[in-house]
Amino acid sequence: MPTPYDQVLYTGAPFPQTHPDRLATLAHLFGMKPAAVEHCRVLELGCTDGGNLIPMALALPESDFVGIDLSERAVEAGERIIRDLKLTNIELRAGDIMDVDSAWGQFDFIIAHGVFSWVPAPVREQILRISKQNLAPQGVSYISYNAQPGGHLRTMIRDMMLFHARGLVDPAERVARARELIAFLVAHTPDCADGYRGFLRKELEGILERDPNVLFHDELSEVWQPVFFHQFVSQAAAHGLQYLSEAAYSDTQDKAFGDSAAETLRSWGEPRVVREQYLDFLKCRRFRQTLLCHDRARLNAEPASAAIETLYASSSATMTAAENGVKTFEGERGSSVKTSHPVATSTLERLTGSWPRAIHFDELAGHVGPEHRHEQADILLALFGAGLVQLHIWRAGFAAVPGEYPVASPLARLQAEAGSALTTLRHTTIDAKGPLERRLITLLDGTHDRADLERELRPLRPDSAAEAFREEVANNLLKAAHLALLTG
Ligand SMILES: C[S@@+](CC[C@H](N)C(=O)[O-])C[C@H]1O[C@@H](n2cnc3c(N)ncnc32)[C@H](O)[C@@H]1O
């Protein structure tokens, strides 16, 4: 029977927070011995068209990937890409999560992204059952879900939309009607409104920006169940699973709220779960990406900085100010640090200057001197907690500069033929809007040098001066390398 996901396709995408590298890195930091990312087994529940799993399989040819999704249409779309890429280490199965049993074997990493809160209670229980029964002893399971208390706010707007779309069955009509209400509310809520109306306006604008297909499957879905973090952890514990970390480690940290808040939270909240529950109240948390492992796995209370010494680090932050020896670095999601500490500054300068390449700790330590090794590991851990540095147990392969005959990832080449959303070799998505950008990527199969590329692309820029055109092509190639789209 066709599902709502057959009616309205939910296009998959790569989620770096679900990548085996991220899951294994966090497991390693908390003292586990996760499987090697290069030789692991991964199961994704609700994998849709393989948008997340296929790039993993491409990057990790010695690892095995299995995905399951109820939507036959989504699975068929994924199978076409798998065939085009000639991948033999991935299988997408059209089926029900309820039918996964122990015969599927054990997996080192199990992923359920964007599924848990949108399926009925028996399927939620089954996702946790699989996370136990099919998880290798040192395995990690990733489950994302709508969290409280922020879920209350989203439920309020969901209920308004459901009321306005009542009686409608056709997906396009439901979405159009829901958006009509949101547009009406925005139009009659002034920009400068405060209190309830100010909050409402901000929420509503966010909804209007969303892809209508996503809105249909998210807030307008039949099931939409947020839970408090502590409830989720208790439910997981009933299945013999324990909390490991959030996939975004910086989300677990309280330092951004200042020493006094951190002290109060610590006095109210040990173990970590209680402290983090209070953090959710502070942040009005609405979504969680929680990692679980077997309850018998022995975990350190906090990551030990010594564990960093075998890892790679990367940073997409940029230095935004330097005054009187104090440098400010700003990273993603509002993270920032001001420092005059020579080891911290040198480490950050090295990492940000090498972005998107990850650098092994030994190389970083070699740069500041072995006498600072332990101090540097402590600093990296603090920067990781602050969200300015990402740690990796595995280094993604991509070319820092385009070769003489440049080569783009075969998946990005395929995607560029069809649209603008391209998967990078860092397991992220970029939006290649311009036709020249996209056409260039399709040509990067290792058989064209600069002159060939310029000849092929020239019809797209008939009026451009020769020098300016050459520069545009060269800049686009450099940009593709910087975005981690090239293998050579
Ligand atoms: C919101 S989408 C998320 C897809 C993908 N994980 C992502 O985040 O991009 C939820 C997916 O779960 C699938 N799904 C829902 N219930 C399922 C079930 N009982 N068995 C298998 N797949 C299911 C849907 O078909 C859909 O593709």
Side-chain angles (χ1 to χ4, degrees):
M1 204 180 78
T3 74
Y5 289 92
D6 290 306
Q7 284 179 296
V8 177
L9 205 60
Y10 191 97
T11 309
F15 295 101
Q17 66 272 33
T18 69
H19 196 283
D21 167 45
R22 180 75 67 89
L23 311 192
T25 301
L26 284 158
H28 166 81
L29 285 169
F30 278 95
M32 290 174 66
K33 303 228 168 326
V37 172
E38 299 88 338
H39 301 278
C40 66
R41 287 198 81 209
V42 181
L43 171 64
E44 182 167 12
L45 306 171
C47 64
T48 185
D49 58 8
N52 191 34
L53 220 46
I54 291 172
M56 291 180 192
L58 184 65
L60 298 166
E62 306 285 314
S63 295
D64 280 320
F65 298 84
V66 178
I68 175 166
D69 201 285
L70 215 43
S71 164
E72 287 184 12
R73 193 176 150 205
V75 166
E76 279 165 15
E79 280 172 337
R80 278 194 294 277
I81 297 175
I82 292 170
R83 271 195 304 276
D84 284 346
L85 295 175
K86 301 187 176 51
L87 294 176
T88 54
N89 60 337
I90 176 168
E91 186 192 347
L92 302 185
R93 300 179 188 173
D96 195 328
I97 290 169
M98 296 307 285
D99 295 330
V100 176
D101 59 20
S102 51
W104 285 47
Q106 294 216 315
F107 295 85
D108 302 301
F109 304 104
I110 298 179
I111 304 163
H113 182 65
V115 185
F116 194 80
S117 293
W118 294 267
V119 289
V123 187
R124 292 200 287 275
E125 281 295 311
Q126 170 74 349
I127 289 174
L128 288 168
R129 201 173 299 121
I130 296 167
S131 295
K132 177 73 184 177
Q133 134 204 301
N134 297 87
L135 192 67
Q138 290 291 308
V140 178
S141 172
Y142 165 109
I143 301 176
S144 65
Y145 51 95
N146 286 324
Q148 297 289 31
H152 286 300
L153 308 178
R154 291 181 68 189
T155 304
M156 180 179 88
I157 292 167
R158 161 179 157 83
D159 289 346
M160 294 180 196
M161 290 191 286
L162 291 181
F163 176 73
H164 195 58
R166 68 193 180 284
L168 296 176
V169 181
D170 179 70
E173 284 180 30
R174 279 173 69 77
V175 172
R177 187 93 171 136
R179 285 172 60 89
E180 177 187 60
L181 172 69
I182 301 297
F184 165 80
L185 293 171
V186 168
H188 298 283
T189 307
D191 233 352
C192 55
D194 56 10
Y196 168 71
R197 297 199 343 139
F199 149 77
L200 191 64
R201 187 176 168 112
K202 201 158 163 268
E203 286 292 309
L204 299 171
E205 282 172 349
I207 290 182
L208 279 185
E209 280 164 19
R210 301 253 295 282
D211 174 345
N213 285 7
V214 172
L215 180 63
F216 174 70
H217 288 302
D218 195 344
E219 271 95 343
L220 296 179
S221 133
E222 200 179 318
V223 180
W224 202 88
Q225 182 65 60
V227 285
F228 281 96
F229 175 53
H230 72 90
Q231 291 172 324
F232 177 79
V233 172
S234 299
Q235 202 182 345
H239 287 269
L241 294 161
Q242 65 173 319
Y243 174 56
L244 169 64
S245 173
E246 277 298 286
Y249 175 70
S250 57
D251 284 355
T252 66
Q253 301 298 295
D254 49 23
K255 297 205 176 46
F257 295 97
D259 290 345
S260 128
E263 202 178 305
T264 307
L265 287 178
R266 262 160 224 277
S267 76
W268 284 347
E270 289 300 339
R272 284 190 297 149
V273 172
V274 180
R275 183 159 36 95
E276 284 193 37
Q277 180 59 80
Y278 285 114
L279 267 182
D280 284 6
F281 298 160
L282 253 179
K283 295 177 182 174
C284 194
R285 182 119 194 186
R286 45 180 74 201
F287 192 64
R288 268 196 172 257
Q289 307 173 126
T290 298
L291 309 189
L292 301 169
C293 63
H294 285 289
D295 54 7
R296 345 179 253 286
R298 297 215 351 221
L299 299 182
N300 300 331
E302 298 288 340
S305 58
I308 285 184
E309 300 195 7
T310 55
L311 300 180
Y312 299 88
S314 65
S315 176
S316 62
T318 42
M319 192 170 71
T320 52
E323 255 178 80
N324 306 325
V326 180
K327 294 184 173 163
T328 306
F329 294 86
E330 292 186 13
E332 286 164 25
R333 300 166 72 211
S335 57
S336 76
V337 70
K338 273 182 200 287
T339 180
S340 57
H341 192 294
V343 177
T345 343
S346 147
T347 305
L348 275 170
E349 279 173 350
R350 184 116 187 128
L351 288 175
T352 54
S354 309
W355 173 258
R357 205 171 73 88
I359 300 186
H360 196 274
F361 179 79
D362 287 338
E363 192 184 328
L364 286 170
H367 190 65
V368 297
E371 68 280 17
H372 295 297
R373 205 176 158 89
H374 296 311
E375 189 186 12
Q376 195 175 24
D378 288 341
I379 287 170
L380 274 172
L381 185 57
L383 292 170
F384 179 52
L388 277 145
V389 160
Q390 197 51 253
L391 297 171
H392 310 271
I393 206 162
W394 168 81
R395 181 154 70 174
F398 49 80
V401 284
E404 195 185 337
Y405 288 82
V407 187
S409 142
L411 177 58
R413 288 207 307 267
L414 209 59
Q415 291 168 327
E417 301 272 3
S420 66
L422 309 187
T423 299
T424 73
L425 295 158
R426 292 180 41 251
H427 207 65
T428 56
T429 307
I430 60 123
D431 192 8
K433 285 204 180 73
L436 185 135
E437 266 170 287
R438 286 207 299 279
R439 175 81 182 115
L440 172 66
I441 296 294
T442 64
L443 292 169
L444 303 184
D445 58 2
T447 65
H448 300 95
D449 64 8
R450 303 289 191 282
D452 298 331
L453 294 172
E454 284 166 17
R455 201 168 36 254
E456 294 284 342
L457 295 169
R458 193 62 180 152
L460 291 173
R461 289 286 185 275
D463 302 328
S464 190
E467 195 48 38
F469 173 66
R470 194 164 305 126
E471 207 175 299
E472 185 182 6
V473 174
N475 284 343
N476 271 296
L477 275 174
L478 284 175
K479 192 170 140 203
H482 195 69
L483 290 169
L485 285 168
L486 305 188
T487 57

